[in-house]
Amino acid sequence: SIKNRHDVNYCIYDDIIRDGLRRQQFVVDHIDEAIANDYIKVFYQPIIRVETGKICGYEALVRWIDPNDGMLPPSYFVETLEKFHLIHFVDEFVVKKVCQDIRRLADQGEELVPVSINVSRLDFEVCDVFKLLSDFCEIYQIPHNMLEVEITESAFNDNTGIIKDATKKIREADFDVWIDDFGSGYSSLNTIAEYEFDVLKLDMVFLRGYEKNPKSKPLMKYIVSATNAMGILPLCEGVETEESYEFLKEIGCNMAQGYYFSKPMPLDALIDSMYAKGYEWEELG
Ligand code: C2E
Ligand code: MG
Ligand code: MG
Ligand code: MG
């Protein structure tokens, strides 16, 4: 009956809410312990220079590896930590880990490329992101041009000026600023003109849509050429097929990232795997 069906739906909905709340509670209750016990890990995904096919960078992507629950992806905890204003604890930890990893590679004489780190919009409200980056670079003796910060496009919709001022300071100190997830939300083309930044990451929604939607290809081509014309480097996320990689070559997209090249992995495993696949690393400029 309609009533029963309604009850079933109601129960399912109730379960989803209860699971969501349970997960939130778990995340909030255990984040300190996870950081303290090194359950928070940094995985890396290579970024490829389209023109040469060489590795020109890595993106640092956080993982929570819980001894009982296994690997928890950012979708499990980032939003919750943002909601409870705890995300900066994770981001600070990631910056430190990345600097330690770069130092270790340098000491081992391994190939080095810059690493881009995702920072939450909320980090800018509770901590000095510039100081965070420069302090860890100082401690681990890392040149600033080895780090880039990725800030999601929607963060630029703030009218407080906090992000604008902070990113200006960060860029003046020779860290690059990248805009992440462009095109996924309420993109404003004006953001591109309004803010100073170095790389525009086109969200994977573009590549996901482009097989089905004939308007996607010309739109990407247009964004890529506008970006190039402004002296900003375009990077396309979510490259999963040879065909989409070929398309990026065709439209002059500077960088590419996606499962086609590699999934995010622990650093040493990634380096081994990329060597095995015959990739080369770009010389530091
Ligand atoms: P993002 O920065 O846009 O990162 C790209 C996401 O797409 C990553 O998911 C990556 O694993 C995934 N990805 C890469 N290539 C492909 C592909 O070819 N196909 C598909 N389907 N997916 C691909 P991940 O690692 O789960 O991260 C999700 C989001 O969590 C990130 O999106 C970022 O917004 C956030 N995040 C990750 N690490 C951190 C961090 O350290 N701090 C903060 N504040 N946020 C983080
Ligand atoms: Mg990112
Ligand atoms: Mg992104
Ligand atoms: Mg994204």
Side-chain angles (χ1 to χ4, degrees), residues 180-181 203-204 237:
D180 201 358
D181 305 320
D203 194 80
M204 63 184 87
E237 295 189 284

Side-chain angles (χ1 to χ4, degrees), residues 71 119 149 153 155 260 271-272 280:
M71 182 154 83
V119 297
V149 285
E153 191 237 304
Y260 177 68
I271 291 173
D272 287 349
E280 291 175 29

Side-chain angles (χ1 to χ4, degrees), residues 138-167:
E138 172 87 41
I139 294 171
Y140 294 102
Q141 290 294 294
I142 314 262
H144 290 189
N145 63 4
M146 292 301 293
L147 294 187
E148 294 128 1
V149 285
E150 293 191 15
I151 305 167
T152 192
E153 191 237 304
S154 58
F156 289 87
N157 291 333
D158 93 315
N159 42 23
T160 62
I162 293 178
I163 304 277
K164 193 173 190 170
D165 294 347
T167 53

Side-chain angles (χ1 to χ4, degrees), residues 27-80:
V27 167
V28 171
D29 288 347
H30 292 85
I31 187 62
D32 283 349
E33 174 197 333
I35 292 173
N37 292 322
D38 250 350
Y39 299 158
I40 303 295
K41 307 281 182 196
V42 180
F43 278 27
Y44 293 86
Q45 188 179 33
I47 296 169
I48 305 297
R49 187 81 63 194
V50 172
E51 204 177 42
T52 58
K54 291 185 181 179
I55 299 167
C56 62
Y58 300 121
E59 179 175 17
L61 293 158
V62 71
R63 300 288 182 267
W64 176 336
I65 303 187
D66 189 87
N68 302 314
D69 296 302
M71 182 154 83
L72 310 175
S75 58
Y76 193 92
F77 57 91
V78 168
E79 204 181 310
T80 298

Side-chain angles (χ1 to χ4, degrees), residues 45-204:
Q45 188 179 33
I47 296 169
I48 305 297
R49 187 81 63 194
V50 172
E51 204 177 42
T52 58
K54 291 185 181 179
I55 299 167
C56 62
Y58 300 121
E59 179 175 17
L61 293 158
V62 71
R63 300 288 182 267
W64 176 336
I65 303 187
D66 189 87
N68 302 314
D69 296 302
M71 182 154 83
L72 310 175
S75 58
Y76 193 92
F77 57 91
V78 168
E79 204 181 310
T80 298
L81 292 175
E82 287 187 328
K83 184 171 164 188
F84 290 91
H85 293 266
L86 296 167
I87 190 64
H88 64 284
F89 292 116
V90 169
D91 289 347
E92 286 165 5
F93 189 73
V94 169
V95 172
K96 178 174 148 193
K97 282 276 185 192
V98 166
C99 289
Q100 287 174 341
D101 278 335
I102 293 175
R103 182 74 260 147
R104 186 170 57 82
L105 289 190
D107 290 345
Q108 294 170 351
E110 300 257 11
E111 313 271 5
L112 275 182
V113 285
V115 177
S116 64
I117 299 175
N118 293 282
V119 297
S120 169
R121 169 181 63 82
L122 297 170
D123 295 347
F124 292 95
E125 290 171 21
V126 293
C127 62
D128 184 342
V129 177
F130 163 77
K131 190 172 177 336
L132 173 69
L133 298 168
S134 10
D135 284 356
F136 280 120
C137 280
E138 172 87 41
I139 294 171
Y140 294 102
Q141 290 294 294
I142 314 262
H144 290 189
N145 63 4
M146 292 301 293
L147 294 187
E148 294 128 1
V149 285
E150 293 191 15
I151 305 167
T152 192
E153 191 237 304
S154 58
F156 289 87
N157 291 333
D158 93 315
N159 42 23
T160 62
I162 293 178
I163 304 277
K164 193 173 190 170
D165 294 347
T167 53
K168 186 165 181 277
K169 193 169 166 194
I170 288 170
R171 288 187 79 244
E172 280 166 1
D174 211 21
F175 298 107
D176 276 4
V177 171
W178 294 15
I179 292 191
D180 201 358
D181 305 320
F182 183 79
S184 66
Y186 300 94
S187 302
S188 154
L189 285 176
N190 193 44
T191 306
I192 310 185
E194 183 86 5
Y195 290 90
E196 300 293 329
F197 60 96
D198 303 282
V199 170
L200 186 75
K201 293 188 90 168
L202 275 70
D203 194 80
M204 63 184 87

